[in-house]
Amino acid sequence: MPDSPLSDSPYEVLGVPSDADAAALRLAYRRALRSAHPDTGGDTARFHAVQRAWELVGTPEARAVFDRGSRGGAPAPTREAWAPAAPNARRDSRPLARSYGHPGGLSRERYLGLIREWAGRGVQLEDPYDPALVRGAPRDIRHVLADALAEEATARSLATLGIAYTVWHDVATDAAGPGHPPKLDHLVLGPTGLFAIQSEDWGAPVILRRNELVGEALDGERPIRALAARAKATGRAARVKPTALIVVVPDDHAEEPLEVGGSIRGAVVALVQRSRLASAVREGLPGSAHLGGTEVMEVRSRLQAVVRFA
């Protein structure tokens, strides 16, 4: 199971309450494994999720570790699951892309406000990222934290593009979508184009159909339409036009590493797995316009003059 605030807990995967006794847990595991087994018409992903759930809570020792809030079956401080990561020393000297803004910053601010409001006025939260607390929060609050983590993961990937690229994170716009703040998660400029990128984690797979994303977890959202509106607002202010609109999701939430659709106002639409993002930007999307060196410099100057951060 992916380490996401929206992932089902092992108990939810097995269909039992978190206080189920060992016998009930074992019975639930056997039933879930039987119903999910591919040989009996089950789903392979579901089958692996059931096996992983049993690894996490199937023995008293593993269950005690999980219930204390650790991840991956080894004892760890609870904050390490979803708290902001400490800066790490670089392991090589390769130049990184120029980056501006604070990826995931606004989403983390929203999460902290929402989780404290949900916990109750006057309640002192020792650790707002305690996995036990996060798992008990309503889905909309967990979704905000999942978005923050997704934005941070995307930023780490984009940083590897190198000095030919410039990246702006959390760009303020005047075009908000339902349930979303008025911002563009990432704007990337380089010789392969100007990319407007949205980082998402809905906790479930999505597919690209007719230039829009479709999936049970979307609950009426139209992510690409909203991304196009934000990209248009930013481009209008700088008098530039994005060449691509990308929604990036966790690898297991998209069937293909890169799925390219049509275009919206001249910008090519794509759904990209997180691990494929950097190469997709570096190579450029099929049908998306590349930019000459002089043009890149001119677009960068225009954007630097108008970009504000959320």
Side-chain angles (χ1 to χ4, degrees), residues 55-97:
E55 290 175 4
L56 291 173
V57 298
T59 66
E61 296 78 14
R63 188 175 184 180
V65 168
F66 180 84
D67 288 345
R68 285 197 302 268
S70 65
R71 316 300 294 176
T78 57
R79 288 189 59 80
E80 290 187 2
W82 299 309
N88 294 321
R90 292 190 59 192
R91 298 181 179 179
D92 57 58
S93 58
R94 288 179 297 179
L96 300 179

Side-chain angles (χ1 to χ4, degrees), residues 92-160:
D92 57 58
S93 58
R94 288 179 297 179
L96 300 179
R98 302 181 184 91
S99 297
Y100 303 92
H102 187 178
L106 183 59
S107 294
R108 282 199 179 272
E109 285 185 13
R110 291 182 65 217
Y111 167 74
L112 291 174
L114 290 169
I115 196 72
R116 287 171 177 142
E117 181 181 354
W118 172 72
R121 184 173 298 176
V123 175
Q124 185 66 33
L125 295 183
E126 294 184 4
D127 184 2
Y129 297 105
D130 178 0
L133 174 71
V134 175
R135 286 196 298 269
R139 190 181 190 282
D140 60 339
I141 296 178
R142 290 184 285 129
H143 190 188
V144 175
L145 178 56
D147 279 346
L149 294 164
E151 292 167 33
E152 291 163 357
T154 294
R156 290 191 293 271
S157 177
L158 294 174
T160 67

Side-chain angles (χ1 to χ4, degrees), residues 191-216:
T192 52
L194 177 60
F195 302 80
I197 301 176
Q198 197 75 10
S199 299
E200 292 290 355
D201 178 357
W202 287 284
V206 294
I207 60 174
L208 180 61
R209 181 179 296 165
R210 295 180 181 176
N211 278 356
E212 189 52 270
L213 297 185
V214 179
E216 293 182 1

Side-chain angles (χ1 to χ4, degrees), residues 272-293:
V272 182
Q273 292 180 355
R274 186 178 295 159
S275 64
R276 180 71 168 82
L277 176 63
S279 60
V281 172
R282 193 177 289 114
E283 296 165 6
L285 298 182
S288 177
H290 288 211
L291 305 177

Side-chain angles (χ1 to χ4, degrees), residues 157-225:
S157 177
L158 294 174
T160 67
L161 291 171
I163 59 174
Y165 290 84
T166 304
V167 186
W168 296 267
H169 303 288
D170 267 13
V171 176
T173 79
D174 57 5
H180 289 272
K183 75 181 182 76
L184 188 60
D185 287 352
H186 321 275
L187 192 61
V188 181
L189 172 66
T192 52
L194 177 60
F195 302 80
I197 301 176
Q198 197 75 10
S199 299
E200 292 290 355
D201 178 357
W202 287 284
V206 294
I207 60 174
L208 180 61
R209 181 179 296 165
R210 295 180 181 176
N211 278 356
E212 189 52 270
L213 297 185
V214 179
E216 293 182 1
L218 292 179
D219 194 24
E221 287 187 54
R222 301 183 68 180
I224 292 179
R225 180 177 179 179

